[in-house]
Amino acid sequence: MTILQVTNLTCEYRTNPLGIDLNQPRLSWRIESDRRGTLQHSYKIQVSLTEGFENPLWDTGVIESDQSLHIEYDGPSLVSRTRYYYRIKVWDNFGRESNWCDISWWETALLDSSEWKASWITPNPEEIHPQAEPTFMLRKQFELKKQIESARIYATGVGLYELYLNGNKVGDELLAPGWTSYHKRIQYQTYDVTADLNINNNVIGVMLADGWYKGNLAWENKRHIYGEQRAVMLQLHVRYDDGTEDVITSDPTWKTSTGPILYSEIYHGETYDARLEQVGWSEENFDDKAWKGVVICQPPVTRIVAQENNPVRVTETIRPISSFVTPEGDRVIDFGQNMVGRIRFTVNAPEGTEIVLKHAEVLDKNGNIYFGNLRTAKQTVKYIAKGTGTEIYAPYFTFQGFRYAKVEGYPGQENGLPLENFVGEVIHSDMELTGEFETSNSMVNQLQQNIVWGQRGNFVDVPTDCPQRDERLGWTGDAQVFIRTALFNYHGGQFFTKWVRDLKADQLPDGGVPFVIPQVVDGASSAAWGDAAVICPWNVYLNYGDERLLAEQYDSMKAWVEYIRVQGENEYLWNTGFHFGDWLGLDGKEDSYYGATPNDLVATAFYAYSTRLLRDSAAVLSKAEDVQAYGELLENIIQEFKNEFVTKNGRLAVSTQTAHVVALMFDLVEGKVRERIAHDLNELVLDHDYHLTTGFVGTPYLCFVLSITGYHETAVKLLLQKTYPSWLYSVTKGATTIWEHWDGIKPDGSFWSDDMNSYNHYAYGAIGDWMYRVLAGLDMDEAKPAYKRIRIQPKFGGKELTFIRASHYSMYGKITSSWNLSNEEVTAELEIPANTTAQILLPNAKLEDVKESNKALVDMDSIIDIYQTEDGVSLEIGSGSYCFVYPNEKGIGLVYTPDTKVIDILADEKTAKVLVSYIPKIGSNTSILASLKKLKLGELVDQPLTNLSFEQMEEVIEKLNQFERETVALKQ
Ligand code: BGC
């Protein structure tokens, strides 16, 4: 029996979602097949109000199409608060028909805002001061008299809220309702509470804290950015077995009080006095006589939308690895991982004992805990025990970025801390993990882990810059540089949909884009930051084929490009205004945050890039006029870029690495000029002995452009570089996340300034994109987004990277690109999901030598096309698992020749010795070394500086190759 199955049904990226407020939600699925080369030939969808599908509401009939992503529901109008079951079957290109898949569903929430009957309520300001620090508790007791069939709560709040029903927390979401541009949009959450209700008395409770809405945000001690009053709005809909309904809403009959949470702030932590707990406050029979009244308040926002993003949750718990006393005498607990979340602890302590946890990321060079880089963020959690036995606590409305915590007041801590009583709870937007990347190099593996941890810690409802200091803001530049890597690692469809909608909501009337989204910091429209308006929706489209989002954001994307166009006097050059430039570039002035690449070069390059993506988006959306108009604009910008920044003879007028990187990456130069600029970029990297000098703008693309312009070996050397500045430098320093600064911790153990020194900043993690797409070669044909047509073309990394395996769970299913190289053989294990095809390059392979699952290629099942190219064997294949084996003619070792560069010989101690034994001056005279290091071995012959004869050069080469053969043999 053969298998053809429809699986992984999703509605708007979600499995069985409760709260969809769209009239035409989109359905997607995957196909599992045991036959290679499976494509969907046709599909049939049924949507029904009943699980039995007796009388489907919508039946597409058999639709001949290979589309399996984002099919819009197109049946009768949807009704609010209704569950719609759906099922799908497909036919494939072999004429097979699948069974109906397992049934999935989506449930509508409130499709029309007029269905909100509840009022926004807040404690009566005459009884509880609206600015009182303690978290408010609100409660409402009510009676239900009949058998309940189903019940839902729709709830939102300003500030952060947690919902309770009959004594238990409802749902596992944290930090609800999430952070949006509150003035324009706020999310509500939907909870299925059918099982939590009783016939007779019930109590809903709400805890309400300041959060992003009115707590301290940004570094200027700003408060109440969105409003001065916390408030909540919810309605409970109960449907009885007899078909009738009841609605309980937030209204003036609710009661309120303060409670044990005396203080709670995103940056500063929480203070919890357990003696003030009110046992049973969200249960019946609680005596709330002393509680105060609530009043109805003005709706704080204009638009309420159903939750768009994945909820923030605890996704993992981490046990501490040790506790110790620092030289300064602090008792510190170490979780072994720079993480974001909170500490939950258990304690038995006398009443009134104060336990304080102060969180930090690193220890200083003396081993003391370091709080300097937190700036004004206190990251302090205080718990006051009630003294009634075992007490367990974790803060509610705050999160910390930390690996270490200083502990004070824990009973008996002078004798050591009981580690089993502490656990780190990792908190972030709970996205599906979609990426795996592993190599034979443990440091590169650690780098990948650091990238993933950096993403987890900074994807807390919005893409933030850092999770520890007084920022944690949605910096647009950081988000755009990292998005492509991010979407490899995690499914970010929902996450970025929400965020780009906020970007659009906060975009300025002239098209300018604030520095941070949601906007809480003044200032707007820096190049490479504002471009997030274009780059982010485009990347969501590329990864998930989300045309609807592209269409929705199109005006915002266009407004950004048009904003740039009217800046300054020259329509095609952006040479005015404030820019962050190549932020944190190392080639800037001493102690400056700004790299040396001129702002107008960076700004014009990004202007071109955004215009190109806008043109391509217009093409996707069939906007022919715009394709034409923005195509012309792009040509003009490129021309102006050349006029301004490329010399007559074809060199770049600016000699920074970043300038070269953007010129190449954004295709601003072509032909011979491109070749020269690529060559010069390579030289610039060699000038720094295989080190980068780039900042936020150049770093993400540096390796990428080197690899695609013929300098892949240099890119690999940059990746594997261990000395400062480099990706692996921080790994040598024990980093478990990506740092903001290349020298966050300097080689001597001292720190870069307190001012701007996050140890959990994902921007430089953007190298992940190159690791997946170039090293492992797992990429897509952008003309067929979402990996409908996969491209697998690895570029091998030499003897340090003989094994690379990358997987990505695309919307179609799992893609794997796995390569194992020995000196004799290359083995590639590939997985291609059904309903896609893949174009594969087997690098350096010869057609006649390749075996697939032990068969010659010509006998292989499901080849669409196959041909020999200069680079190897190129194949077009269908879905399935494949194992290719072929001789590794190039081996894994280096081959030294007269073309080998001096610098590459000097990189290794052993080979350096050989050369120095022939040319001693190279070892002792640094200026001679500097003048010779970029030369080829052959160019050293008969030079006055070297006195190297041709025969000696040959001897050197022979010895070097001998060493290399020995090293490779050892590795086998
Ligand atoms: C943030 C960045 C951000 C930058 C803009 C910093 O404080 O942490 O990552 O992009 O400011 O200059």
Side-chain angles (χ1 to χ4, degrees):
M1 210 182 72
T2 60
I3 299 168
L4 181 70
Q5 250 177 344
V6 177
T7 64
N8 293 71
L9 271 61
T10 53
C11 171
E12 294 298 324
Y13 296 120
R14 281 162 266 194
T15 309
N16 298 340
L18 262 188
I20 295 288
D21 66 351
L22 300 170
N23 292 312
Q24 287 191 288
R26 295 164 304 171
L27 308 176
S28 307
W29 58 89
R30 291 184 190 165
I31 296 170
E32 302 281 337
S33 163
D34 61 353
R35 272 189 82 163
R36 281 186 178 172
T38 302
L39 291 170
Q40 177 181 296
H41 173 268
S42 35
Y43 69 82
K44 179 174 161 106
I45 305 175
Q46 283 187 342
V47 175
S48 165
L49 288 168
T50 56
E51 275 181 278
F53 286 82
E54 295 84 5
N55 193 7
L57 199 63
W58 187 49
D59 186 331
T60 59
V62 180
I63 306 278
E64 204 172 300
S65 160
D66 66 349
Q67 190 183 348
S68 55
L69 307 185
H70 306 303
I71 291 171
E72 279 188 352
Y73 168 77
D74 199 20
S77 296
L78 300 178
V79 176
S80 290
R81 300 186 292 105
T82 304
R83 181 168 291 195
Y84 293 89
Y85 297 94
Y86 67 107
R87 63 180 184 178
I88 288 153
K89 67 156 58 189
V90 298
W91 289 259
D92 73 3
N93 49 329
F94 303 114
R96 295 183 300 171
E97 176 179 345
S98 75
N99 288 327
W100 284 111
C101 64
D102 290 346
I103 294 165
S104 289
W105 49 264
W106 79 88
E107 202 173 289
T108 48
L110 305 174
L111 294 173
D112 191 309
S113 56
S114 66
E115 292 168 90
W116 277 101
K117 302 294 176 215
S119 307
W120 283 94
I121 56 170
T122 190
N124 182 347
E126 283 168 16
E127 297 183 275
I128 296 180
H129 195 284
Q131 261 82 72
E133 272 183 351
T135 295
F136 302 147
M137 302 194 297
L138 299 100
R139 74 187 300 274
K140 166 79 188 173
Q141 182 156 334
F142 57 95
E143 220 183 320
L144 300 175
K145 293 220 175 86
K146 296 185 268 187
Q147 276 301 334
I148 299 156
E149 187 203 271
S150 69
R152 302 284 181 269
I153 292 180
Y154 305 96
T156 186
V158 286
L160 300 174
Y161 78 91
E162 279 196 6
L163 191 61
Y164 291 78
L165 197 54
N166 297 326
N168 298 315
K169 177 169 164 26
V170 177
D172 52 4
E173 285 90 342
L174 298 172
L175 308 176
W179 187 10
T180 44
S181 307
Y182 290 131
H183 287 316
K184 290 139 192 159
R185 303 164 5 94
I186 183 167
Q187 299 182 128
Y188 65 92
Q189 286 68 40
T190 304
Y191 304 92
D192 179 351
V193 291
T194 315
D196 306 309
L197 289 169
N198 308 315
I199 303 181
N200 290 323
N201 284 334
N202 292 278
V203 175
I204 301 181
V206 174
M207 288 210 286
L208 196 57
D210 283 355
W212 294 291
Y213 184 78
K214 71 181 275 291
N216 194 180
L217 267 193
W219 55 91
E220 288 153 330
N221 218 8
K222 288 191 206 162
R223 301 186 62 79
H224 306 152
I225 292 185
Y226 295 100
E228 302 213 326
Q229 205 171 35
R230 293 177 216 153
V232 67
M233 175 167 81
L234 69 80
Q235 61 196 39
L236 161 66
H237 288 257
V238 184
R239 194 168 288 156
Y240 298 108
D241 276 358
D242 64 6
T244 58
E245 287 196 5
D246 258 332
V247 186
I248 315 291
T249 61
S250 47
D251 64 19
T253 64
W254 286 51
K255 297 193 88 179
T256 185
S257 166
T258 56
I261 304 180
L262 296 180
Y263 174 83
S264 196
E265 281 275 351
I266 301 273
Y267 295 160
H268 304 307
E270 198 163 284
T271 301
Y272 187 98
D273 188 341
R275 296 170 302 182
L276 301 178
E277 283 172 356
Q278 304 198 40
V279 178
W281 71 276
S282 61
E283 290 170 76
E284 66 168 317
N285 298 328
F286 175 77
D287 178 3
D288 63 6
K289 271 198 226 71
W291 282 41
K292 315 288 182 207
V294 302
V295 292
I296 293 180
C297 57
Q298 275 304 311
V301 284
T302 47
R303 236 185 114 213
I304 302 180
V305 298
Q307 168 103 10
E308 294 168 343
N309 197 355
N310 319 71
V312 172
R313 294 194 175 102
V314 172
T315 61
E316 187 181 341
T317 53
I318 291 193
R319 290 278 161 199
I321 55 170
S322 67
S323 96
F324 51 88
V325 178
T326 66
E328 281 175 357
D330 293 326
R331 169 60 67 180
V332 168
I333 189 161
D334 177 4
F335 287 84
Q337 170 64 49
N338 196 3
M339 57 167 277
V340 174
R342 60 189 182 186
I343 298 173
R344 180 176 296 279
F345 63 86
T346 306
V347 69
N348 249 290
E351 185 192 336
T353 308
E354 285 192 13
I355 298 154
V356 180
L357 305 178
K358 200 165 177 201
H359 305 69
E361 292 183 287
V362 292
L363 303 177
D364 69 16
K365 63 176 174 186
N366 301 317
N368 292 312
I369 188 161
Y370 170 66
F371 299 112
N373 68 335
L374 305 180
R375 305 200 307 218
T376 63
K378 295 197 181 68
Q379 292 221 113
T380 300
V381 169
K382 188 195 271 188
Y383 180 80
I384 304 162
K386 58 186 175 221
T388 52
T390 301
E391 298 173 42
I392 300 175
Y393 168 73
Y396 291 74
F397 296 109
T398 181
F399 59 90
Q400 287 75 48
F402 65 102
R403 170 175 167 167
Y404 301 95
K406 170 176 164 180
V407 182
E408 288 172 330
Y410 193 92
Q413 70 172 56
E414 49 294 345
N415 306 317
L417 285 170
L419 294 186
E420 65 282 5
N421 287 354
F422 293 81
V423 63
E425 295 186 342
V426 179
I427 291 175
H428 55 88
S429 293
D430 191 7
M431 304 160 292
E432 180 198 350
L433 184 71
T434 51
E436 290 162 15
F437 182 90
E438 199 194 344
T439 72
S440 48
N441 184 310
S442 61
M443 291 184 80
V444 173
N445 295 345
Q446 182 64 47
L447 174 66
Q448 165 66 12
Q449 286 313 308
N450 295 359
I451 295 171
V452 171
W453 275 100
Q455 178 166 355
R456 297 175 81 181
N458 283 294
F459 277 46
V460 182
D461 207 48
V462 300
T464 63
D465 56 334
C466 55
Q468 74 299 87
R469 69 176 178 228
D470 49 2
E471 291 204 48
R472 314 182 190 190
L473 305 173
W475 283 96
T476 46
D478 305 45
Q480 72 81 1
V481 302
F482 188 62
I483 184 169
R484 198 143 182 171
T485 303
L487 299 185
F488 265 113
N489 290 329
Y490 281 94
H491 196 306
Q494 286 178 247
F495 184 87
F496 277 103
T497 296
K498 164 176 169 282
W499 189 71
V500 298
R501 284 180 179 161
D502 285 319
L503 187 152
K504 184 174 172 181
D506 276 344
Q507 196 164 6
L508 306 171
D510 64 0
V513 175
F515 295 154
V516 300
I517 300 293
Q519 194 223 351
V520 289
V521 166
D522 295 334
S525 303
S526 163
W529 268 247
D531 294 280
V534 177
I535 296 168
C536 292
W538 175 253
N539 273 289
V540 175
Y541 162 74
L542 274 189
N543 274 274
Y544 309 120
D546 196 333
E547 271 183 42
R548 185 190 272 182
L549 187 71
L550 200 63
E552 202 182 297
Q553 292 297 119
Y554 187 76
D555 289 347
S556 150
M557 299 162 80
K558 188 165 163 176
W560 168 248
V561 170
E562 291 300 332
Y563 165 83
I564 304 174
R565 196 205 281 251
V566 299
Q567 300 307 304
E569 310 227 303
N570 184 337
E571 191 182 342
Y572 306 124
L573 201 64
W574 192 4
N575 56 5
T576 55
F578 167 82
H579 299 281
F580 292 111
D582 188 24
W583 183 248
L584 304 186
L586 293 171
D587 45 12
K589 296 199 179 94
E590 188 68 15
D591 288 335
S592 163
Y593 293 129
Y594 301 92
T597 310
N599 283 345
D600 49 356
L601 187 146
V602 170
T604 305
F606 270 88
Y607 180 20
Y609 183 42
S610 279
T611 304
R612 184 187 300 278
L613 297 187
L614 182 63
R615 181 203 61 187
D616 295 349
S617 305
V620 170
L621 300 171
S622 309
K623 293 177 186 288
E625 272 178 30
D626 279 5
V627 175
Q628 171 79 13
Y630 290 106
E632 280 165 21
L633 177 62
L634 175 62
E635 275 172 34
N636 287 324
I637 300 167
I638 293 179
Q639 191 48 52
E640 205 56 15
F641 180 91
K642 289 180 190 157
N643 296 346
E644 189 75 12
F645 302 113
V646 182
T647 67
K648 235 176 42 212
N649 291 348
R651 87 165 41 210
L652 208 58
V654 172
S655 63
T656 63
Q657 291 180 4
T658 290
H660 289 69
V661 168
V662 292
L664 294 165
M665 187 69 197
F666 300 152
D667 286 329
L668 306 178
V669 285
E670 69 276 332
K672 289 270 167 236
V673 178
R674 185 176 172 84
E675 276 172 33
R676 175 160 187 185
I677 289 177
H679 166 269
D680 291 351
L681 172 62
N682 189 54
E683 295 288 300
L684 288 169
V685 176
L686 296 188
D687 283 340
H688 289 86
D689 298 322
Y690 292 113
H691 290 95
L692 46 75
T693 57
T694 47
F696 271 39
V697 162
T699 304
Y701 312 122
L702 174 60
C703 287
F704 203 88
V705 295
L706 285 166
S707 290
I708 60 171
T709 56
Y711 299 95
H712 179 65
E713 285 79 11
T714 301
V716 171
K717 288 200 169 90
L718 283 171
L719 173 74
L720 299 177
Q721 179 62 263
K722 294 191 197 67
T723 55
Y724 164 79
S726 66
W727 284 278
L728 294 189
Y729 168 72
S730 63
V731 174
T732 68
K733 290 283 177 190
T736 56
T737 36
I738 300 291
W739 296 350
E740 178 175 23
H741 272 265
W742 294 113
D743 56 350
I745 300 175
K746 299 185 183 214
D748 68 3
S750 63
F751 296 136
W752 165 267
S753 94
D754 282 358
D755 212 29
M756 203 72 86
N757 201 10
S758 150
Y759 293 98
N760 198 353
H761 226 78
Y762 57 56
Y764 291 153
I767 182 74
D769 178 42
W770 173 83
M771 286 157 51
Y772 276 106
R773 283 208 286 159
V774 179
L775 269 190
L778 198 168
D779 203 353
M780 71 169 88
D781 174 355
E782 295 192 357
K784 298 203 167 187
Y787 298 91
K788 177 74 173 144
R789 182 162 183 254
I790 296 158
R791 278 221 167 108
I792 296 190
Q793 300 193 356
K795 284 188 182 288
F796 299 145
K799 61 177 182 283
E800 304 285 326
L801 290 164
T802 52
F803 168 70
I804 293 202
R805 186 174 58 78
S807 293
H808 175 68
Y809 290 84
S810 71
M811 295 280 285
Y812 291 100
K814 186 177 186 187
I815 308 164
T816 296
S817 171
S818 172
W819 300 81
N820 210 336
L821 279 80
S822 72
N823 213 26
E824 289 74 37
E825 240 170 35
V826 178
T827 308
E829 290 182 21
L830 311 178
E831 270 178 274
I832 309 298
N835 207 19
T836 69
T837 59
Q839 196 210 355
I840 314 287
L841 179 75
L842 304 174
N844 315 323
K846 295 223 174 69
L847 241 175
E848 58 280 13
D849 294 341
V850 181
K851 290 255 155 54
E852 193 285 311
S853 301
N854 296 321
K855 284 192 214 151
L857 268 195
V858 279
D859 301 328
M860 184 183 137
D861 196 16
S862 126
I863 289 198
I864 301 168
D865 202 359
I866 179 167
Y867 47 97
Q868 180 78 51
T869 72
E870 265 181 29
D871 300 324
V873 170
S874 187
L875 301 156
E876 188 84 25
I877 57 177
S879 65
S881 300
Y882 298 85
C883 178
F884 296 96
V885 180
Y886 59 94
N888 186 1
E889 293 203 345
K890 291 208 158 171
I892 56 171
L894 283 174
V895 179
Y896 291 90
T897 69
D899 281 339
T900 305
K901 288 208 156 109
V902 169
I903 188 171
D904 293 331
I905 300 167
L906 297 178
D908 180 283
E909 231 179 272
K910 259 186 171 178
T911 51
K913 258 195 194 156
V914 175
L915 192 62
V916 173
S917 70
Y918 285 82
I919 316 171
K921 281 183 202 155
I922 280 194
S924 53
N925 186 324
T926 44
S927 69
I928 291 186
L929 169 64
S931 63
L932 297 181
K933 73 177 180 188
K934 290 199 294 179
L935 295 186
K936 296 174 180 165
L937 257 184
E939 290 169 333
L940 302 185
V941 172
D942 294 336
Q943 269 230 30
L945 271 180
T946 63
N947 287 329
L948 190 75
S949 68
F950 186 80
E951 291 69 31
Q952 284 175 315
M953 177 195 72
E954 289 200 312
E955 275 173 43
V956 171
I957 289 176
E958 179 43 37
K959 285 190 185 163
L960 297 178
N961 282 326
Q962 180 58 30
F963 272 142
E964 187 68 7
R965 282 192 291 273
E966 284 165 18
T967 322
V968 167
L970 276 179
K971 281 201 171 263
Q972 296 295 295

